[in-house]
Amino acid sequence: MSKIFNNDFHDLFTRYANDIYRFALFLCGDKTEAEDITAETFSRVLTGKTPIVTATVKGYLLTIARNLYLESVRRQNRLTEFPTELPDSSAHLENIVSHKSDLEIVQTYLRTFPEIDRSALLLRADGMSYSEIAVSLNISLSSAKVKVHRLRLKLVEWRTNREKTKT
């Protein structure tokens, strides 16, 4: 069993907490939930039995955070009841867009894509290599590259369309 001593844990937390929080926030879009995911990630590292390899610490932490997010989504899906009639989301889109900051708008748009695609893009944006992304998401290297590439193209297209509609 691997033990992390107080100084080691403090250094680990200081170095990676902001990265984990940012990643969790982009996944879930909620500050409180992102804080909870970050705290639980480090709690699991502190109490875990798996030794941490220094070269893969960030990937390891991001994988834990992603798994915690997926657990919360599954839990929420079990608890959420769908209304009998779903409102027309396109009717409210203009109101939503006009009241959110650009970052919130991008986060909302990204949430329309599968979680694994968003995770691949966010991990790449956070500096992880494609091979690390593939391992973290349990997908092939080529799949990691394709997911990031396609989502980047969709973001560019979306942004171009938004700018056209503003003028």
Side-chain angles (χ1 to χ4, degrees):
M1 180 165 143
S2 171
K3 289 195 175 208
I4 298 178
F5 297 102
N6 286 338
N7 286 343
D8 295 337
F9 181 77
H10 179 5
D11 292 342
L12 185 71
F13 184 83
T14 302
R15 184 169 183 187
Y16 296 109
N18 289 333
D19 293 335
I20 303 305
Y21 172 77
R22 186 176 60 251
F23 178 69
L25 182 60
F26 271 100
L27 283 178
C28 69
D30 179 74
K31 291 179 181 180
T32 304
E33 186 176 355
E35 290 171 354
D36 290 345
I37 289 171
T38 303
E40 183 64 22
T41 297
F42 285 98
S43 172
R44 290 196 180 186
V45 167
L46 187 62
T47 60
K49 296 177 181 177
T50 307
I52 299 173
V53 179
T54 306
T56 62
V57 171
K58 188 173 182 179
Y60 178 72
L61 294 171
L62 291 169
T63 300
I64 292 172
R66 177 177 175 261
N67 289 338
L68 289 168
Y69 166 73
L70 293 174
E71 285 176 20
S72 75
V73 168
R74 283 190 290 270
R75 189 175 330 109
Q76 194 66 5
N77 286 341
R78 286 192 307 261
L79 301 175
T80 303
E81 291 184 29
F82 286 96
T84 54
E85 287 187 37
L86 294 174
D88 181 15
S89 62
S90 62
H92 301 290
L93 187 57
E94 289 179 3
N95 292 337
I96 292 170
V97 169
S98 65
H99 291 96
K100 290 187 174 186
S101 72
D102 287 341
L103 181 59
E104 290 171 326
I105 294 167
V106 171
Q107 286 176 327
T108 301
Y109 177 68
L110 284 174
R111 280 194 287 277
T112 64
F113 294 97
E115 180 278 330
I116 195 163
D117 293 356
R118 289 192 328 260
S119 292
L121 179 69
L122 294 171
L123 292 170
R124 183 66 182 156
D126 207 36
M128 287 184 74
S129 70
Y130 288 111
S131 59
E132 290 174 318
I133 294 168
V135 169
S136 293
L137 300 180
N138 197 26
I139 58 177
S140 69
L141 177 61
S142 60
S143 180
K145 289 178 180 181
V146 168
K147 287 180 182 306
V148 171
H149 179 70
R150 286 186 180 159
L151 197 48
R152 281 181 176 167
L153 290 177
K154 288 179 182 182
L155 279 171
V156 168
E157 178 184 347
W158 175 76
R159 183 176 177 194
T160 302
N161 290 337
R162 274 188 38 87
E163 289 174 0
K164 285 180 184 176
T165 58
K166 285 183 179 181
T167 57

